[in-house]
Amino acid sequence: MSHEPDIVSKINAHYGQLRDAEQKIAALVLDDISFAAHASISELATKAGVSEATITRFAKAIDCKNVRDLKLRLAQALAVGQRFYTEVKAEPGSHYGVYEEIKTALDHNAGLITEAVIEPAVAALATARQILVFGVGGGSTVMAQECQHRFFRLGFPATAYSDPMLMRMAASTIDSNDVVLCLSLGGYSPDVQEAAEIAREYGATLVGVTVADSPLSKVLHHLVPMEPLETDYIFKPTAARYVMLAAIDVLATELAVKQKRKSREALRRLKHTLDSHKHGEDRLPLGD
């Protein structure tokens, strides 16, 4: 799969080597990519205060074939999202709305986690010989590890995989007694989806926490749906992480309740071992 050149990064990288007139065009383009992508050569030249020939020289200086190629790449850059090119200010005095956004996301998603959704997912997980958890990227990798940490302490064997090759390898070794739990904050995760399809081919049951009607959701047997609520303020980490974490906690809690005796004994052993090691207060979080 080819990777389209990032024209915005290229302009920034070349800026210091451009002539003064070309730097005027670069500044104009970076300030208003939408205008630059749709304006004619004469409109660009007029607004930048340079000649039309300079526009052509600028395009070639940043490794574009011509002005048409420059405008095409700028249009492609705009497809990334206008919010990454324009300044959006956060509300003052609210810690950038971090807590508020998390609460809003959790409140919105709480209604999606119904008994009809959770019951079949938990039933599959509870009877699994082993649970494989697949998640890649900056968010789902951590969440896959979180699943492993939540489940094993309840007595359910779980292993997290985030390396794409290892996911495929693990998926090819399982059978109909196993469950794969797939995690994706957006539902567009080719590595997780391809590994899940391999696991399904060999008879495994697929459970997933992801967005409904996404590519990944379509290969699952049991979907635990979530809906990210993204804002235009790009500097704040996504609150969708907390939505997925809450869904994982619901699954873990329901698993524990479903097999109370097994989970209680596993948790008791953990508590006994950790108290002997840490000598802390009785109500410390179990396992930090």
Side-chain angles (χ1 to χ4, degrees), residues 18-32:
L18 297 174
R19 299 172 182 176
D20 289 346
E22 293 168 350
Q23 285 186 352
K24 290 182 180 180
I25 305 166
L28 170 63
V29 171
L30 294 174
D31 285 344
D32 194 343

Side-chain angles (χ1 to χ4, degrees), residues 10-273:
K10 192 172 285 289
I11 293 172
N12 280 311
H14 282 68
Y15 190 88
Q17 289 77 49
L18 297 174
R19 299 172 182 176
D20 289 346
E22 293 168 350
Q23 285 186 352
K24 290 182 180 180
I25 305 166
L28 170 63
V29 171
L30 294 174
D31 285 344
D32 194 343
I33 293 177
S34 180
F35 170 78
H38 299 100
S40 65
I41 295 180
S42 61
E43 288 172 333
L44 284 170
T46 300
K47 190 164 184 178
V50 300
S51 68
E52 292 185 17
T54 304
I55 304 291
T56 301
R57 286 196 299 271
F58 167 74
K60 293 182 177 179
I62 58 171
D63 300 329
C64 292
K65 297 175 184 177
N66 47 42
V67 176
R68 182 178 180 182
D69 185 35
L70 168 64
K71 292 173 64 178
L72 175 62
R73 294 190 190 185
L74 289 174
Q76 291 171 337
L78 280 174
V80 171
Q82 191 67 32
R83 63 197 178 111
F84 291 92
Y85 297 109
T86 55
E87 179 68 23
V88 177
K89 294 183 179 179
E91 291 294 325
S94 63
H95 300 294
Y96 300 102
V98 170
Y99 286 97
E100 292 82 357
E101 187 178 334
I102 293 169
K103 184 178 184 302
T104 298
L106 288 172
D107 288 345
H108 176 78
N109 278 269
L112 302 178
I113 309 298
T114 63
E115 283 296 320
V117 163
I118 292 298
E119 216 169 270
V122 171
L125 292 167
T127 57
R129 179 183 65 121
Q130 62 172 335
I131 302 168
L132 279 63
V133 190
F134 292 169
V136 301
S140 296
T141 292
V142 175
M143 293 300 163
Q145 294 171 345
E146 176 70 14
C147 277
Q148 176 179 319
H149 298 163
R150 291 308 114 197
F151 293 169
F152 87 77
R153 70 181 64 197
L154 299 174
F156 296 94
T159 307
Y161 291 92
S162 295
D163 179 276
M165 192 65 71
L166 285 175
M167 286 195 302
R168 287 173 171 80
M169 293 168 64
S172 67
T173 64
I174 58 182
D175 59 32
S176 58
N177 296 317
D178 302 325
V179 171
V180 175
L181 177 57
C182 303
L183 306 177
S184 175
L185 293 175
Y188 292 81
S189 183
D191 290 316
V192 172
Q193 183 174 336
E194 289 169 16
E197 288 170 346
I198 293 169
R200 182 163 183 153
E201 180 182 341
Y202 287 108
T205 300
L206 305 184
V207 177
V209 181
T210 191
V211 177
D213 296 323
S214 65
L216 178 59
S217 72
K218 290 176 171 56
V219 305
L220 303 174
H221 294 101
H222 306 296
L223 169 67
V224 178
M226 59 174 288
E227 293 180 2
L229 299 179
E230 299 302 294
T231 70
D232 287 338
Y233 192 63
I234 64 172
F235 303 107
K236 182 168 47 185
T238 176
R241 292 149 43 243
Y242 296 93
V243 173
M244 181 172 282
L245 181 60
I248 290 169
D249 281 2
V250 170
L251 290 173
T253 302
E254 293 292 335
L255 272 174
V257 171
K258 195 171 188 66
Q259 297 193 23
K260 287 182 180 179
R261 180 176 297 179
K262 175 181 180 179
S263 297
R264 180 181 287 113
E265 175 59 13
L267 291 170
R268 186 198 65 77
R269 291 185 188 184
L270 281 171
K271 177 66 174 171
H272 173 77
T273 301

